mmCIF file of all heavy atoms in Angstrom:
data_model
loop_
_atom_site.group_PDB
_atom_site.id
_atom_site.type_symbol
_atom_site.label_atom_id
_atom_site.label_comp_id
_atom_site.label_asym_id
_atom_site.label_seq_id
_atom_site.Cartn_x
_atom_site.Cartn_y
_atom_site.Cartn_z
ATOM 1 N N SER K 1018 82.918 47.480 180.838
ATOM 2 C CA SER K 1018 82.489 47.921 179.500
ATOM 3 C C SER K 1018 83.490 48.844 178.823
ATOM 4 O O SER K 1018 83.416 49.056 177.623
ATOM 5 C CB SER K 1018 81.139 48.627 179.613
ATOM 6 O OG SER K 1018 81.288 49.835 180.348
ATOM 7 N N ILE K 1019 84.457 49.412 179.575
ATOM 8 C CA ILE K 1019 85.389 50.317 178.912
ATOM 9 C C ILE K 1019 86.802 49.745 178.832
ATOM 10 O O ILE K 1019 87.732 50.436 178.451
ATOM 11 C CB ILE K 1019 85.432 51.719 179.578
ATOM 12 C CG1 ILE K 1019 85.753 51.602 181.068
ATOM 13 C CG2 ILE K 1019 84.124 52.460 179.375
ATOM 14 C CD1 ILE K 1019 86.088 52.933 181.709
ATOM 15 N N ARG K 1020 86.945 48.450 179.205
ATOM 16 C CA ARG K 1020 88.280 47.850 179.058
ATOM 17 C C ARG K 1020 88.615 47.696 177.574
ATOM 18 O O ARG K 1020 87.753 47.354 176.784
ATOM 19 C CB ARG K 1020 88.289 46.477 179.733
ATOM 20 C CG ARG K 1020 88.450 46.585 181.242
ATOM 21 C CD ARG K 1020 88.483 45.269 181.930
ATOM 22 N NE ARG K 1020 89.299 44.296 181.210
ATOM 23 C CZ ARG K 1020 89.078 42.993 181.245
ATOM 24 N NH1 ARG K 1020 88.098 42.517 181.941
ATOM 25 N NH2 ARG K 1020 89.861 42.170 180.573
ATOM 26 N N PRO K 1021 89.867 47.980 177.194
ATOM 27 C CA PRO K 1021 90.216 47.917 175.765
ATOM 28 C C PRO K 1021 89.786 46.610 175.096
ATOM 29 O O PRO K 1021 89.265 46.613 174.003
ATOM 30 C CB PRO K 1021 91.736 48.053 175.775
ATOM 31 C CG PRO K 1021 92.060 48.758 177.055
ATOM 32 C CD PRO K 1021 90.983 48.400 178.038
ATOM 33 N N ALA K 1022 89.990 45.488 175.805
ATOM 34 C CA ALA K 1022 89.642 44.195 175.218
ATOM 35 C C ALA K 1022 88.150 44.121 174.913
ATOM 36 O O ALA K 1022 87.739 43.633 173.853
ATOM 37 C CB ALA K 1022 90.025 43.074 176.186
ATOM 38 N N THR K 1023 87.342 44.618 175.853
ATOM 39 C CA THR K 1023 85.871 44.572 175.661
ATOM 40 C C THR K 1023 85.475 45.454 174.486
ATOM 41 O O THR K 1023 84.674 45.064 173.648
ATOM 42 C CB THR K 1023 85.148 45.087 176.927
ATOM 43 O OG1 THR K 1023 85.813 44.609 178.080
ATOM 44 C CG2 THR K 1023 83.706 44.658 176.947
ATOM 45 N N VAL K 1024 86.062 46.662 174.443
ATOM 46 C CA VAL K 1024 85.681 47.609 173.372
ATOM 47 C C VAL K 1024 86.085 47.044 172.018
ATOM 48 O O VAL K 1024 85.355 47.147 171.040
ATOM 49 C CB VAL K 1024 86.345 48.983 173.625
ATOM 50 C CG1 VAL K 1024 86.061 49.927 172.470
ATOM 51 C CG2 VAL K 1024 85.835 49.577 174.923
ATOM 52 N N LYS K 1025 87.287 46.410 171.971
ATOM 53 C CA LYS K 1025 87.771 45.891 170.700
ATOM 54 C C LYS K 1025 86.880 44.735 170.225
ATOM 55 O O LYS K 1025 86.545 44.605 169.050
ATOM 56 C CB LYS K 1025 89.218 45.416 170.854
ATOM 57 C CG LYS K 1025 89.996 45.506 169.565
ATOM 58 C CD LYS K 1025 91.499 45.637 169.773
ATOM 59 C CE LYS K 1025 92.081 44.443 170.518
ATOM 60 N NZ LYS K 1025 93.509 44.620 170.777
ATOM 61 N N GLY K 1026 86.467 43.918 171.185
ATOM 62 C CA GLY K 1026 85.638 42.761 170.821
ATOM 63 C C GLY K 1026 84.197 43.116 170.530
ATOM 64 O O GLY K 1026 83.497 42.420 169.815
ATOM 65 N N ALA K 1027 83.746 44.251 171.096
ATOM 66 C CA ALA K 1027 82.328 44.592 170.972
ATOM 67 C C ALA K 1027 82.025 45.189 169.611
ATOM 68 O O ALA K 1027 82.900 45.806 168.999
ATOM 69 C CB ALA K 1027 81.939 45.594 172.064
ATOM 70 N N PRO K 1028 80.799 44.984 169.128
ATOM 71 C CA PRO K 1028 80.381 45.595 167.870
ATOM 72 C C PRO K 1028 80.455 47.125 167.936
ATOM 73 O O PRO K 1028 80.203 47.701 168.994
ATOM 74 C CB PRO K 1028 78.922 45.175 167.753
ATOM 75 C CG PRO K 1028 78.707 44.110 168.755
ATOM 76 C CD PRO K 1028 79.788 44.173 169.751
ATOM 77 N N VAL K 1029 80.814 47.731 166.798
ATOM 78 C CA VAL K 1029 80.908 49.192 166.735
ATOM 79 C C VAL K 1029 79.570 49.818 167.168
ATOM 80 O O VAL K 1029 79.531 50.780 167.938
ATOM 81 C CB VAL K 1029 81.236 49.646 165.290
ATOM 82 C CG1 VAL K 1029 81.422 51.159 165.236
ATOM 83 C CG2 VAL K 1029 82.461 48.919 164.789
ATOM 84 N N ALA K 1030 78.483 49.238 166.633
ATOM 85 C CA ALA K 1030 77.154 49.816 166.882
ATOM 86 C C ALA K 1030 76.884 49.883 168.378
ATOM 87 O O ALA K 1030 76.417 50.895 168.893
ATOM 88 C CB ALA K 1030 76.095 48.976 166.194
ATOM 89 N N GLU K 1031 77.215 48.795 169.090
ATOM 90 C CA GLU K 1031 76.904 48.743 170.516
ATOM 91 C C GLU K 1031 77.712 49.756 171.303
ATOM 92 O O GLU K 1031 77.183 50.451 172.187
ATOM 93 C CB GLU K 1031 77.143 47.333 171.057
ATOM 94 C CG GLU K 1031 76.010 46.409 170.676
ATOM 95 C CD GLU K 1031 76.070 45.068 171.365
ATOM 96 O OE1 GLU K 1031 76.814 44.948 172.362
ATOM 97 O OE2 GLU K 1031 75.401 44.149 170.892
ATOM 98 N N THR K 1032 78.996 49.880 170.973
ATOM 99 C CA THR K 1032 79.846 50.852 171.664
ATOM 100 C C THR K 1032 79.322 52.252 171.429
ATOM 101 O O THR K 1032 79.237 53.085 172.339
ATOM 102 C CB THR K 1032 81.295 50.726 171.175
ATOM 103 O OG1 THR K 1032 81.672 49.355 171.236
ATOM 104 C CG2 THR K 1032 82.236 51.543 172.045
ATOM 105 N N LEU K 1033 78.941 52.517 170.176
ATOM 106 C CA LEU K 1033 78.427 53.837 169.810
ATOM 107 C C LEU K 1033 77.153 54.152 170.590
ATOM 108 O O LEU K 1033 77.004 55.233 171.157
ATOM 109 C CB LEU K 1033 78.132 53.847 168.299
ATOM 110 C CG LEU K 1033 77.947 55.224 167.664
ATOM 111 C CD1 LEU K 1033 79.230 56.024 167.804
ATOM 112 C CD2 LEU K 1033 77.574 55.090 166.191
ATOM 113 N N VAL K 1034 76.253 53.161 170.648
ATOM 114 C CA VAL K 1034 74.982 53.356 171.361
ATOM 115 C C VAL K 1034 75.257 53.633 172.852
ATOM 116 O O VAL K 1034 74.664 54.526 173.445
ATOM 117 C CB VAL K 1034 74.062 52.130 171.189
ATOM 118 C CG1 VAL K 1034 72.888 52.188 172.171
ATOM 119 C CG2 VAL K 1034 73.543 52.064 169.764
ATOM 120 N N MET K 1035 76.187 52.894 173.418
ATOM 121 C CA MET K 1035 76.490 53.090 174.828
ATOM 122 C C MET K 1035 77.031 54.504 175.059
ATOM 123 O O MET K 1035 76.603 55.203 175.979
ATOM 124 C CB MET K 1035 77.521 52.071 175.319
ATOM 125 C CG MET K 1035 77.834 52.269 176.781
ATOM 126 S SD MET K 1035 79.267 51.415 177.366
ATOM 127 C CE MET K 1035 80.592 52.464 176.881
ATOM 128 N N LEU K 1036 77.951 54.946 174.203
ATOM 129 C CA LEU K 1036 78.544 56.265 174.379
ATOM 130 C C LEU K 1036 77.512 57.378 174.203
ATOM 131 O O LEU K 1036 77.515 58.353 174.941
ATOM 132 C CB LEU K 1036 79.705 56.452 173.385
ATOM 133 C CG LEU K 1036 80.925 55.567 173.668
ATOM 134 C CD1 LEU K 1036 81.963 55.716 172.566
ATOM 135 C CD2 LEU K 1036 81.547 55.919 175.017
ATOM 136 N N VAL K 1037 76.614 57.189 173.238
ATOM 137 C CA VAL K 1037 75.582 58.214 173.016
ATOM 138 C C VAL K 1037 74.636 58.274 174.225
ATOM 139 O O VAL K 1037 74.274 59.353 174.687
ATOM 140 C CB VAL K 1037 74.784 57.927 171.717
ATOM 141 C CG1 VAL K 1037 73.509 58.743 171.664
ATOM 142 C CG2 VAL K 1037 75.648 58.231 170.516
ATOM 143 N N THR K 1038 74.287 57.106 174.760
ATOM 144 C CA THR K 1038 73.424 57.071 175.946
ATOM 145 C C THR K 1038 74.091 57.815 177.100
ATOM 146 O O THR K 1038 73.469 58.653 177.762
ATOM 147 C CB THR K 1038 73.128 55.604 176.375
ATOM 148 O OG1 THR K 1038 72.641 54.896 175.247
ATOM 149 C CG2 THR K 1038 72.108 55.553 177.478
ATOM 150 N N VAL K 1039 75.384 57.542 177.303
ATOM 151 C CA VAL K 1039 76.110 58.215 178.393
ATOM 152 C C VAL K 1039 76.147 59.719 178.146
ATOM 153 O O VAL K 1039 75.815 60.513 179.023
ATOM 154 C CB VAL K 1039 77.558 57.666 178.501
ATOM 155 C CG1 VAL K 1039 78.387 58.519 179.468
ATOM 156 C CG2 VAL K 1039 77.539 56.225 178.998
ATOM 157 N N ALA K 1040 76.512 60.111 176.913
ATOM 158 C CA ALA K 1040 76.663 61.539 176.612
ATOM 159 C C ALA K 1040 75.341 62.278 176.788
ATOM 160 O O ALA K 1040 75.281 63.352 177.414
ATOM 161 C CB ALA K 1040 77.186 61.712 175.192
ATOM 162 N N ALA K 1041 74.263 61.679 176.258
ATOM 163 C CA ALA K 1041 72.947 62.351 176.337
ATOM 164 C C ALA K 1041 72.494 62.466 177.780
ATOM 165 O O ALA K 1041 71.971 63.499 178.196
ATOM 166 C CB ALA K 1041 71.920 61.578 175.513
ATOM 167 N N THR K 1042 72.722 61.414 178.557
ATOM 168 C CA THR K 1042 72.277 61.443 179.955
ATOM 169 C C THR K 1042 73.077 62.442 180.779
ATOM 170 O O THR K 1042 72.514 63.239 181.525
ATOM 171 C CB THR K 1042 72.425 60.044 180.591
ATOM 172 O OG1 THR K 1042 71.816 59.096 179.737
ATOM 173 C CG2 THR K 1042 71.753 59.993 181.937
ATOM 174 N N VAL K 1043 74.398 62.410 180.613
ATOM 175 C CA VAL K 1043 75.233 63.291 181.431
ATOM 176 C C VAL K 1043 75.015 64.749 181.057
ATOM 177 O O VAL K 1043 74.955 65.617 181.928
ATOM 178 C CB VAL K 1043 76.726 62.895 181.302
ATOM 179 C CG1 VAL K 1043 77.623 63.905 181.968
ATOM 180 C CG2 VAL K 1043 76.929 61.514 181.938
ATOM 181 N N SER K 1044 74.822 65.033 179.764
ATOM 182 C CA SER K 1044 74.678 66.439 179.369
ATOM 183 C C SER K 1044 73.333 67.017 179.776
ATOM 184 O O SER K 1044 73.239 68.188 180.109
ATOM 185 C CB SER K 1044 74.885 66.590 177.851
ATOM 186 O OG SER K 1044 73.977 65.761 177.179
ATOM 187 N N THR K 1045 72.279 66.189 179.757
ATOM 188 C CA THR K 1045 70.962 66.728 180.127
ATOM 189 C C THR K 1045 70.642 66.509 181.598
ATOM 190 O O THR K 1045 69.779 67.153 182.158
ATOM 191 C CB THR K 1045 69.826 66.057 179.319
ATOM 192 O OG1 THR K 1045 69.919 64.646 179.547
ATOM 193 C CG2 THR K 1045 69.952 66.359 177.843
ATOM 194 N N GLY K 1046 71.350 65.543 182.224
ATOM 195 C CA GLY K 1046 71.024 65.206 183.603
ATOM 196 C C GLY K 1046 69.721 64.446 183.711
ATOM 197 O O GLY K 1046 69.217 64.173 184.782
ATOM 198 N N ASN K 1047 69.150 64.091 182.557
ATOM 199 C CA ASN K 1047 67.869 63.384 182.574
ATOM 200 C C ASN K 1047 68.056 61.989 182.003
ATOM 201 O O ASN K 1047 68.386 61.811 180.832
ATOM 202 C CB ASN K 1047 66.852 64.179 181.737
ATOM 203 C CG ASN K 1047 65.455 63.614 181.839
ATOM 204 O OD1 ASN K 1047 65.278 62.421 182.118
ATOM 205 N ND2 ASN K 1047 64.469 64.435 181.616
ATOM 206 N N LEU K 1048 67.825 60.980 182.850
ATOM 207 C CA LEU K 1048 68.094 59.592 182.439
ATOM 208 C C LEU K 1048 67.178 59.153 181.312
ATOM 209 O O LEU K 1048 67.576 58.387 180.451
ATOM 210 C CB LEU K 1048 67.926 58.677 183.634
ATOM 211 C CG LEU K 1048 68.915 58.993 184.751
ATOM 212 C CD1 LEU K 1048 68.490 58.345 186.047
ATOM 213 C CD2 LEU K 1048 70.306 58.541 184.385
ATOM 214 N N ALA K 1049 65.942 59.646 181.323
ATOM 215 C CA ALA K 1049 64.976 59.208 180.318
ATOM 216 C C ALA K 1049 65.432 59.618 178.918
ATOM 217 O O ALA K 1049 65.335 58.843 177.957
ATOM 218 C CB ALA K 1049 63.604 59.773 180.614
ATOM 219 N N ILE K 1050 65.959 60.844 178.799
ATOM 220 C CA ILE K 1050 66.392 61.326 177.495
ATOM 221 C C ILE K 1050 67.533 60.470 176.956
ATOM 222 O O ILE K 1050 67.541 60.071 175.797
ATOM 223 C CB ILE K 1050 66.843 62.820 177.592
ATOM 224 C CG1 ILE K 1050 65.630 63.694 177.902
ATOM 225 C CG2 ILE K 1050 67.524 63.270 176.297
ATOM 226 C CD1 ILE K 1050 65.946 65.164 178.066
ATOM 227 N N GLY K 1051 68.472 60.153 177.860
ATOM 228 C CA GLY K 1051 69.604 59.321 177.430
ATOM 229 C C GLY K 1051 69.178 57.965 176.932
ATOM 230 O O GLY K 1051 69.636 57.492 175.885
ATOM 231 N N VAL K 1052 68.261 57.337 177.664
ATOM 232 C CA VAL K 1052 67.816 55.995 177.281
ATOM 233 C C VAL K 1052 67.058 56.041 175.949
ATOM 234 O O VAL K 1052 67.286 55.223 175.068
ATOM 235 C CB VAL K 1052 66.956 55.372 178.403
ATOM 236 C CG1 VAL K 1052 66.318 54.083 177.942
ATOM 237 C CG2 VAL K 1052 67.819 55.116 179.624
#
């Protein structure tokens, strides 16, 4: 999911959603909040 080719081909919205999910989960340590 983080290979340049995948990111370039993927929709902006999807990449953004994935990054926000990761950021929210890692910062709170709570998987439910991230999802």
Side-chain angles (χ1 to χ4, degrees):
S1018 66
I1019 56 168
R1020 281 181 42 209
T1023 320
V1024 175
K1025 208 155 60 183
V1029 184
E1031 282 189 16
T1032 310
L1033 196 62
V1034 167
M1035 180 194 81
L1036 292 174
V1037 165
T1038 307
V1039 170
T1042 310
V1043 171
S1044 57
T1045 57
N1047 187 335
L1048 298 164
I1050 293 178
V1052 171

